[in-house]
Amino acid sequence: MRDVVLVHGAWHGAWCWRRVLPLLAAGGVRAVTVSLTGVGEKAHLLGPQVRLRTHVEDVVAVVRAEECRDAVLVGHSYGGIPVTGAADLLGDAVGPLVYVDAVVLAPGEAWSSLSPPEVRASRRELVATTGSLPPPPASAFGLTGTDAAWVDRRQTAHPGGVYDDPLDFAGDRWAARRRTYLDCTTPPLASIDPSRARVRAQPGWDVVPMATGHDPMVSDPAALAEQLLRVAAG
């Protein structure tokens, strides 16, 4: 079984995988979590110095420090962006890529490239005035009750410097990798629609619908772990 490297999305931290980790361990997989600089457990490092390259290097550093070989790189939501960049730098040191309701960019695009014009303008104004992007309520991810409260307590502002930074990577090498997209459909998050449509239009993807919301590691950890174990064993 391959190692599984878990990269959280915007406003989250490594804490969000808490319910998935024991399920992966029970399936015989060593799971390694990445804390991106400026959010979650590293919220104290939030500042203008945090760029997209910082988050790519966060992932690369953990893979190398943990001596992962042929590992599955897993990116949730925004985390799909640094996973793509890290895979490009790591080459054959990592194996399949799993995008959990994640952002999928083409070479040279930025996170902002897939935002509608009104969202792009609003976020750029926030970055200009505060330097960061405040978290939306967890209900936006389809979470309710105690699950929503658990996420709301832990979310932190996201570094604004990453929003317009382009991601440079070799598209041909990326397209040759085994890539799985876990499409969370109940309810679907509208901001992921451009990536969802792109994945369905590109060859080479294994697209797996999941009848849960945008944070499956919280709302349906058993189903998420099942899919990650499947990829790790493949």
Side-chain angles (χ1 to χ4, degrees), residues 1-233:
M1 297 284 274
R2 297 178 172 93
D3 291 343
V4 171
V5 179
L6 301 167
V7 183
H8 61 82
W11 309 294
H12 286 37
W15 54 263
C16 73
W17 305 104
R18 184 180 302 175
R19 300 176 183 180
V20 176
L21 295 177
L23 300 175
L24 294 177
V29 161
R30 181 175 76 120
V32 177
T33 59
V34 177
S35 295
L36 298 177
T37 302
V39 285
E41 301 87 333
K42 294 184 178 179
H44 60 291
L45 299 176
L46 178 67
Q49 77 283 359
V50 181
R51 312 297 302 203
L52 178 57
R53 181 71 182 194
T54 313
H55 286 172
V56 171
E57 291 173 350
D58 285 337
V59 180
V60 171
V62 169
V63 170
R64 289 176 174 165
E66 293 289 341
E67 298 185 338
C68 300
R69 294 292 304 176
D70 198 30
V72 181
L73 286 190
V74 180
H76 168 243
S77 194
Y78 161 83
I81 303 175
V83 157
T84 298
D88 188 66
L89 293 178
L90 289 164
D92 293 339
V94 292
L97 308 180
V98 178
Y99 294 80
V100 183
D101 222 34
V103 179
V104 177
L105 297 183
E109 288 184 331
W111 185 15
S112 60
S113 301
L114 301 189
S115 299
E118 63 276 9
V119 173
R120 193 179 304 127
S122 173
R123 287 186 170 178
R124 284 174 174 166
E125 183 177 357
L126 282 168
V127 172
T129 56
T130 70
S132 63
L133 297 170
S139 58
F141 308 140
L143 298 173
T144 60
T146 57
D147 286 346
W150 187 74
V151 171
D152 279 331
R153 288 198 305 273
R154 287 161 173 78
Q155 289 200 110
T156 56
H158 198 78
V162 307
Y163 187 59
D164 276 318
D165 282 352
L167 181 67
D168 296 316
F169 64 99
D172 54 344
R173 290 203 308 266
W174 173 81
R177 289 185 179 273
R178 180 184 173 195
R179 289 166 286 125
T180 298
Y181 196 89
L182 303 183
D183 183 6
C184 300
T185 61
T186 312
L189 185 67
S191 62
I192 299 298
D193 283 349
S195 296
R196 189 177 288 117
R198 173 172 288 175
V199 164
R200 281 177 161 74
Q202 290 176 340
W205 284 95
D206 175 21
V207 180
V208 181
M210 295 183 65
T212 189
H214 182 64
D215 271 15
M217 70 288 295
V218 178
S219 57
D220 199 347
L224 177 58
E226 179 182 0
Q227 293 301 326
L228 298 182
L229 289 169
R230 178 181 64 85
V231 175

